[in-house]
Amino acid sequence: MDLKLFGEVFVTLLVITDPPGMMPIFLALTGPLPARDRNRAAWQAVALALGVIVIFAVAGQTLLDYLHVDLPALQAAGGLLLVLVALELLTGKTDGPSSEATSNIALVPLGTPLLAGPGAIVATMLFVQQADGLGDYTAIAVAILAVMVAVWIVLRFSGGIVKILRPGGIEVLTRIAGLLLAAIAVQLIADAVFAFVTHYVNMT
């Protein structure tokens, strides 16, 4: 297993899912529920997010082939999406949960789109596109599972974590996550531009 790739996937998805930033939303949605129902909502949300990300990771190549989309285009689009998410984290203007009632808040909006949103989906598809061999695929799969476990732990024990970090600590961590995500987004866009330039230079 490629440990370097594992680290890249783990950090990228962990920053995108932003567990510290998810805690206030999770507690706001599940606050009235008993502790048992709150814990069930945590694992249901993570399970759905994992399923969505895995589906896109497996079917991503087929979807790209069908749409005739090259990797550089996907990289640029993914970078732009991540820039938007990073700006929301940095400015604190993330969209709150919808006021419309749903049958299960663990599935919508917690599982998707808050956890398995466009940023996580695109990032996962990019890593799968760039993977080469069983070792890379194993690293990506293990990293996705590790991120989902980390998110579940944060949501499962969010009540105690919020008491320790306080709102100020959560806000600081969210801003740091936004800065890291912005850097990742810029790198994706730069790689896409380089790939486009290289492609056209080779054609000429």
Side-chain angles (χ1 to χ4, degrees):
M1 186 177 72
D2 188 342
L3 295 180
K4 182 176 182 293
L5 179 60
F6 167 83
E8 292 177 355
V9 177
F10 179 82
V11 172
T12 301
L13 292 183
L14 192 66
V15 169
I16 293 174
T17 54
D18 185 29
M22 278 292 300
M23 284 190 293
I25 299 176
F26 177 76
L27 291 176
L29 291 173
T30 62
L33 299 177
R36 183 176 180 179
D37 292 340
R38 188 183 304 115
N39 296 338
R40 184 185 299 115
W43 75 258
Q44 285 179 342
V46 171
L48 176 64
L50 176 62
V52 171
I53 291 175
V54 168
I55 288 174
F56 275 92
V58 173
Q61 180 62 56
T62 302
L63 180 62
L64 289 179
D65 292 341
Y66 178 77
L67 297 176
H68 304 288
V69 176
D70 293 328
L71 179 59
L74 184 61
Q75 284 180 314
L80 292 176
L81 285 174
L82 297 187
V83 166
L84 295 177
V85 176
L87 290 176
E88 290 180 347
L89 294 178
L90 288 170
T91 60
K93 295 181 180 179
T94 52
D95 295 332
S98 174
S99 58
E100 298 180 0
T102 59
S103 58
N104 193 338
I105 58 175
L107 304 181
V108 179
L110 286 176
T112 181
L114 290 179
L115 284 178
I121 291 172
V122 170
T124 303
M125 290 176 64
L126 286 175
F127 281 118
V128 171
Q129 287 294 311
Q130 297 171 341
D132 182 21
L134 181 60
D136 287 354
Y137 290 119
T138 301
I140 294 173
V142 174
I144 293 174
L145 288 175
V147 169
M148 291 296 105
V149 170
V151 172
W152 175 80
I153 291 175
V154 171
L155 296 183
R156 171 64 175 79
F157 300 100
S158 57
I161 294 175
V162 168
K163 292 179 181 179
I164 295 174
L165 293 180
R166 308 285 185 174
I170 295 176
E171 185 174 353
V172 170
L173 291 178
T174 300
R175 298 297 184 271
I176 295 174
L179 181 61
L180 294 174
L181 186 57
I184 294 171
V186 171
Q187 186 63 55
L188 282 175
I189 296 175
D191 291 343
V193 172
F194 178 78
F196 275 123
V197 172
T198 302
H199 175 71
Y200 284 112
V201 169
N202 292 335
M203 288 181 61
T204 56

